[in-house]
Amino acid sequence: MSTFHETFEIGGTPVGGGAPCYIIAEAGANHDRDLDVARELIDVAADAGADAVKFQTYTGQDLYSSRTPAFDYLEDDRTPQQLLDDIALPREWQPLLADHARERGIHFFSSPFDRAAVDSLKALGVPAMKIASFEIVDLGLIEHAAGAGVPIILSTGMATYGEIEEALAAVARAGNPDVALLRCASVYPSPPEIMNIRAMPTLRRAFGVPAGLSDHTTGIATATGAAALQMDVLEKHFTLSRDREGPDHPFAIEPDELKALVANVREVEAALGTGRMEGPSALEAREMHGNARRSVIAAVEIPKGTEITEAMLTVKRPGFGIKPRDLQLVVGRTARVDIPFDEIVTWEMV
């Protein structure tokens, strides 16, 4: 038997096994160290219908060496330590934000980047923890987070199969059977051609756990399309406005887009169906099947007692009469009643 569950729950919401995709609205650092903005992000996520809103818990000193060079892609002269400290979520806000999320009926959790962050989130009673792609090689952090006894969501950006196996082994050592893997491309933003969303079902088959997508593309097309591959979890960065200053705003989606994304994912899920060809649905049969299909129709007036020829018949809509495939069975029969021109021919008439 596998070490891990193929399905589990986050705060009572099923994940995996054909359940609706668990959608995480990733606030990340887009609170801009403004508590009111952080609360508004929670409101936006709840209004959009997301299952969870997620932040990040770190300090620059614990995350980066002071000797780390500046990030070229951000065009920012601050050292990584300075940058991360300037945008970090104050940990004393976490209980306040968790309470606000609870009031809005949405799950609240965070990505811990150090053991103290794990401990603070565990004390807060979060329903899950998310390990970012870059931390998948920090097996000690993963094991510590898994030891909190809540489901673990692991992003796999840049990870090899071997690194994923090692990370899952760390979760297993903590005795935690509930873990999901997210396909991710660790470029911000990510061009669609490197997303490889077909890797989601590969991860599910290979490791026997729920699998989904952490999406850093611009827009919502990639994540919407991923729903057709039956992703179990979706994480997508969002912001109040891409015009705000900060490293994560430019590739995040805005409130209307987040609402559209959730609606699109739910619509694709509804459209997937069972995959079995079973004829008309109940709705089709009730509203369209008869009017839309064809049946045998009188091409001329056919008096009672007339031997019916093929020239006297045609095939038109609606489909309430004899099926077109049975037209030749009508030929040679005698009309029992007068059949007017353009009448729908039934078996009772011949």
Side-chain angles (χ1 to χ4, degrees):
M1 185 174 65
S2 172
T3 303
F4 301 109
H5 293 155
E6 293 182 357
T7 65
F8 55 83
E9 292 185 352
I10 295 177
T13 301
V15 175
C21 178
Y22 186 86
I23 300 177
I24 304 167
E26 167 65 279
N30 289 341
H31 50 77
D32 297 335
R33 288 182 71 88
D34 184 321
L35 182 57
D36 289 336
V37 170
R39 288 194 175 106
E40 190 174 353
L41 286 165
I42 292 172
D43 291 335
V44 166
D47 291 342
D51 296 289
V53 61
K54 188 180 78 64
F55 291 82
Q56 297 175 4
T57 308
Y58 52 73
T59 66
Q61 182 176 347
D62 289 330
L63 193 54
Y64 280 98
S65 162
S66 60
R67 299 180 182 273
T68 307
F71 299 129
D72 290 337
Y73 75 94
L74 290 180
E75 298 181 357
D76 193 308
D77 292 333
R78 289 173 290 178
T79 68
Q81 271 196 5
Q82 293 169 332
L83 173 62
L84 270 292
D85 279 335
D86 287 346
I87 65 174
L89 180 79
R91 298 192 187 189
E92 62 270 21
W93 289 5
Q94 290 183 155
L96 304 176
L97 297 179
D99 286 342
H100 187 65
R102 194 175 301 110
E103 291 170 1
R104 290 304 317 272
I106 188 170
H107 295 155
F108 168 91
F109 56 95
S110 184
S111 290
F113 288 80
D114 54 69
R115 297 190 183 208
V118 170
D119 295 341
S120 68
L121 293 168
K122 178 181 179 181
L124 196 57
V126 295
M129 292 194 199
K130 159 73 192 304
I131 303 298
S133 289
F134 295 160
E135 276 53 61
I136 198 168
V137 295
D138 189 343
L139 303 181
L141 175 64
I142 293 171
E143 186 170 349
H144 190 65
V150 296
I152 299 297
I153 301 169
L154 284 169
S155 269
T156 63
M158 302 195 304
T160 64
Y161 276 106
E163 289 169 338
I164 295 170
E165 288 176 331
E166 290 171 351
L168 290 175
V171 176
R173 284 195 297 273
N176 192 333
D178 298 332
V179 60
L181 296 173
L182 302 186
R183 166 62 196 150
C184 178
S186 295
V187 180
Y188 308 90
S190 297
E193 57 267 25
I194 71 168
M195 288 305 298
N196 190 20
I197 59 176
R198 285 177 174 165
M200 294 188 303
T202 302
L203 290 170
R204 188 184 299 117
R205 289 191 302 269
F207 299 106
V209 300
L213 178 68
S214 178
D215 180 27
H216 298 137
T217 62
T218 56
I220 64 175
T222 296
T224 297
L229 294 173
Q230 297 177 285
M231 63 182 168
D232 299 310
V233 181
L234 170 64
E235 176 186 68
K236 183 72 174 176
H237 282 259
F238 76 109
T239 178
L240 299 183
S241 170
R242 279 188 290 272
D243 293 331
R244 298 177 72 95
E245 292 186 6
D248 290 350
H249 293 293
F251 65 89
I253 57 175
E254 295 182 336
D256 287 348
E257 293 171 302
L258 179 61
K259 185 174 290 187
L261 173 59
V262 174
N264 286 356
V265 168
R266 299 302 180 221
E267 186 170 337
V268 171
E269 288 175 333
L272 283 173
T274 64
R276 297 188 296 271
M277 292 298 294
E278 297 174 318
S281 66
L283 182 61
E284 288 171 313
R286 183 170 68 249
E287 296 196 5
M288 293 299 296
H289 192 243
N291 282 327
R293 289 295 183 89
R294 295 190 175 210
S295 60
V296 176
I297 306 293
V300 296
E301 181 179 331
I302 306 174
K304 179 180 178 180
T306 301
E307 182 176 329
I308 299 172
T309 66
E310 185 170 352
M312 297 176 181
L313 304 174
T314 190
V315 171
K316 296 183 184 181
R317 298 177 185 178
F320 301 132
I322 295 170
K323 294 181 184 301
R325 71 184 183 208
D326 293 331
L327 184 146
Q328 292 301 323
L329 297 179
V330 180
V331 173
R333 293 177 181 246
T334 301
R336 290 181 175 178
V337 295
D338 290 332
I339 304 175
F341 163 70
D342 229 20
E343 181 62 275
I344 301 165
V345 180
T346 65
W347 288 115
E348 291 75 21
M349 295 177 179
V350 298

